[in-house]
Amino acid sequence: MESGGGTHSPLESFSSYRGNDWSPERLVFHQNLEQFAERVGLIVGLQANGKIEQSEAYAEIKILWNELRSSKKDLSI
């Protein structure tokens, strides 16, 4: 069954943006924020299961955080 909302990976499903102050920029940032949360969860899981070191997990999350912050600035929210 197709939703008609474009193509997304099953690993990157996005929820609806429910804010009263909807704009295309806010929608994009909402999706970026969900992707950030999903990736952080995966990194934490890898670290918790001993697949990556704590310092590596921290470095990866820091990169993701900087990308999220940059996307917010770029979108002028």
Side-chain angles (χ1 to χ4, degrees), residues 16-24 26-27 30:
S16 300
Y17 179 76
R18 290 177 169 60
N20 293 331
D21 52 354
W22 185 91
S23 72
R26 288 185 181 275
L27 177 63
H30 175 77

Side-chain angles (χ1 to χ4, degrees), residues 43-61:
I43 292 168
V44 169
L46 288 170
Q47 191 278 322
N49 287 308
K51 302 295 182 187
I52 61 174
E53 295 293 322
Q54 211 171 38
S55 60
E56 185 180 353
Y58 175 81
E60 290 294 323
I61 292 170

Side-chain angles (χ1 to χ4, degrees), residues 25-41:
E25 292 83 8
R26 288 185 181 275
L27 177 63
V28 169
F29 182 72
H30 175 77
Q31 292 174 341
N32 291 346
L33 185 59
E34 284 190 350
Q35 188 176 51
F36 169 80
E38 172 104 10
R39 289 181 176 176
V40 167

